[in-house]
Amino acid sequence: MVASLVVWVLSALLVLALLTQGRWSAALDRRGVRVSELPWRWWLTGYPSTALRIRVTWRRMADLTGLTVSTRPDHRIIGRDLVVQGRSLRQRAPRLSWPVPTRTGLRLHVILHPGQTPGPYLAAARAMEHAWRVHAVRVTSPRRGVVVIRVTAVDPLTGKLPVKGLAPAAGLLVAHVGRTEEGEPWVIDLRRVPHWLITGATRAGKSTLLAALVRALTPQPVTLLGVDLKGGVELGVFGGRFSALATTRAQTIGLLGGVLDEIQRRTGLCRSARCRSVWELPDADRPGPVVVLVDELAEVYLTDGSREARDEAERCGSLLLRVAQLGAALGVHLIVAGQRVGSDLGPRVTALRSQLGGRVAHRAHDEASAQMTVGDLHPDAVAVIQSIGEDERGVAVVTTGGGWMRARSAPLTPEEIDGIATVAPPPHALRLKTDQAQSPKEGEKE
């Protein structure tokens, strides 16, 4: 009787909601809740079937993957001096919470039995994907004795990303560049992680991410400086928004030298004010942030074998390393992109890579390239990087909060690129005292 009453009440509420959709949908839209963008199909059909499949298969799947434990000893004494050892026939599966739905999947909590560790759950993630027929399963352990299983039912990074309507991220040096595999905005916070390394094969999405960063930082009072030794074909399209753009190694030396001079000036300001960073200075005295974007790092180090070219490459490597070491607390941020960032490029590349705390790894042709980017932080993410397909341009593995996630950057339209090119640098933008690093407009006049 009670069950029938509940069914009738829920059915009546559903019919009422459908009849009055025009009113409550418009009201929610005015409050910023886009009803049409909510995953109704997943919540109403996909989630119930997936949650039921998880509950039905959990005990058997846990037993086959070694997640169950026995409440009885694994040995028994027979007679006076004979011990028989073996696995108990009565195994107990860990207690599983009810699946909580998310926008792209669901989340579960598992209470570990005494003696268990998260390791077997990490190893069983692939088995869970196949048993539950979902896109991906991520296993983490936020606290002792608990394992969190995040299930992604359908990959949200497939298909075409919206190129318009990306909400500006709140806060200075916070950039909204795309979305994550959980359907949430992909936000890069340079205040929290000051320097970033972006790697990937050709046409994997490195330039798309750099462009998305430029789009997000353009409205902000931030000085943008660029190093593009491919003739400026990638960063040069943004025109005068860059205060300076270096397209040769000689110009790169001048640009980075000017940045180091600015770092020394800011160091003096902080020392005089007895502050450890520019963010502790009063608003009136605080210099504006500077972001240096380097596209295709290998071009900075590779030479033709001549002594002059080797000296220039060595000088560029030293300057980049010093900017990364000294700039974080002084509002100077470095974003470096390249296909490979290994010691084969030069003796200082490994030291530079260690200073770049944020890591973004796009599709890689070989395991070594993926290992150079995230292998020292998250070895389990190397296989995920290699599994990114050629048709998934912009999809990458991103290190975040002590873990990693998959994300995809949103490409720019030609109209957005033209709009950014007409934006002038902010009034307080850094003006380099060198004629080697010229603005794009000055280069056009020549």
Side-chain angles (χ1 to χ4, degrees), residues 400-413:
T400 174
W404 60 270
M405 64 178 179
R406 292 172 67 248
R408 188 179 187 183
S409 55
L412 274 67
T413 62

Side-chain angles (χ1 to χ4, degrees), residues 70-90:
S70 174
T71 57
R72 297 185 178 183
D74 59 355
H75 62 275
R76 184 178 294 273
I77 301 177
I78 299 177
R80 299 178 58 182
D81 54 359
L82 179 63
V83 177
V84 178
Q85 186 173 3
R87 186 171 182 264
S88 174
L89 297 178
R90 294 186 178 181

